[in-house]
Amino acid sequence: TLIYTVLTTAIMLDFYRYRIKNIGSASSMEEKVLLTVKELSAHPASLFYFVSDEVPGEFMHQVIKMRELLNLHDPRHPVMALSNDPKLQPQFSLAGDIFSPDAYPVMKKNSFRDLKMITEFMSQSHRGGAAIWGTAQSFNWGYFRNVKTPEQYQEYADPSTEEMRAMALLFVIEGAKGIIFYNDPMADKILVLSAMLCMVSSHLCSPVVLIIVLAREFLVSSLRLVAASQNVVIAADKSG
């Protein structure tokens, strides 16, 4: 089995409250990006760099600067940018070798599933000229909403097999070269922990930090399971 990880340099952008402010003595965005390239570009698990995750337009200059640095110092690995704003998608498609529009149309069980947003997103994305990978929904929106009871959570729908297949086919029909299925809550945990494993193996991060983060994830997941057994839903919020 081959396991790859995405190098999420987007976490260094000023937009994120939880951004990585320093890596050792590296404090500026340029210094952190160059250190990441130096230590991780040759790692066999490295797949591509991820420089933008639904970032507002006012931070585009940082994203483009990051892409330029990565292309210059590590031309072997592509750069991916992502946006869910159709107005910004043509511009952000210039910020990566690969661009990915993320379309998540499945909300509540009784709401209309308008998969046409995929066609609209792809139309905007093609204007930038980059290769496109579609990011499709395989998570339940109830995880992100401030739901307090199982009854409230039950109002939200899991994407069905047919809906996920339809999303993937629509992306392909509209010219996508690859498909990513985004599935929270596990996606963020896998992304963070796999990146930290790479950093530990390259001596950029202490194993103690990885153990603390891993223990936190097990603790939070366990608390959610216990709460669920008592008919209590603990939803994620902006603070995590």
Side-chain angles (χ1 to χ4, degrees), residues 12 23 25-36 69:
M12 302 171 190
I23 304 177
S25 60
S27 57
S28 70
M29 186 267 285
E30 291 83 355
E31 291 172 336
K32 289 180 287 189
V33 167
L34 292 178
L35 182 59
T36 300
L69 286 169

Side-chain angles (χ1 to χ4, degrees), residues 142-143 145-154 223-224 227-236:
Y143 180 78
R145 299 310 191 220
N146 190 28
V147 297
K148 301 297 185 183
T149 67
E151 291 75 20
Q152 289 177 323
Y153 188 84
Q154 287 299 317
L223 287 174
R224 284 192 170 126
S229 68
Q230 303 296 320
N231 292 324
V232 176
V233 176
I234 302 177

Side-chain angles (χ1 to χ4, degrees), residues 26 101 176 198 212:
C198 289
I212 292 172

Side-chain angles (χ1 to χ4, degrees), residues 83-182:
S83 175
N84 65 339
D85 187 338
K87 298 188 298 296
L88 296 177
Q89 284 164 354
Q91 294 95 314
F92 267 103
S93 67
L94 302 174
D97 305 301
I98 305 168
F99 177 71
S100 184
D102 54 341
Y104 306 142
V106 181
M107 294 286 288
K108 292 191 174 184
K109 289 180 177 178
N110 297 322
S111 63
F112 177 65
R113 275 87 149 150
D114 189 1
L115 300 186
K116 289 191 300 181
M117 68 184 302
I118 293 175
T119 301
E120 296 166 359
F121 279 20
M122 289 294 290
S123 175
Q124 291 294 324
S125 301
H126 277 301
R127 293 171 59 191
I132 300 175
W133 288 15
T135 299
Q137 177 185 358
S138 59
F139 64 88
N140 186 311
W141 269 112
Y143 180 78
F144 291 99
R145 299 310 191 220
N146 190 28
V147 297
K148 301 297 185 183
T149 67
E151 291 75 20
Q152 289 177 323
Y153 188 84
Q154 287 299 317
E155 294 177 4
Y156 293 89
D158 294 315
S160 67
T161 301
E162 291 76 15
E163 287 169 332
M164 289 189 286
R165 184 185 298 120
M167 284 186 274
L169 289 173
L170 275 173
F171 273 123
V172 172
I173 290 169
E174 295 296 332
K177 305 300 184 183
I179 304 294
I180 301 169
F181 278 96
Y182 189 69

Side-chain angles (χ1 to χ4, degrees), residues 33-64:
V33 167
L34 292 178
L35 182 59
T36 300
V37 169
K38 176 183 176 182
E39 299 294 341
L40 297 180
S41 61
H43 198 287
S46 298
L47 184 59
F48 59 80
Y49 297 98
F50 185 50
V51 297
S52 170
D53 186 1
E54 301 181 355
V55 174
E58 55 264 35
F59 293 92
M60 189 181 302
H61 67 286
Q62 285 191 5
V63 178
I64 292 176

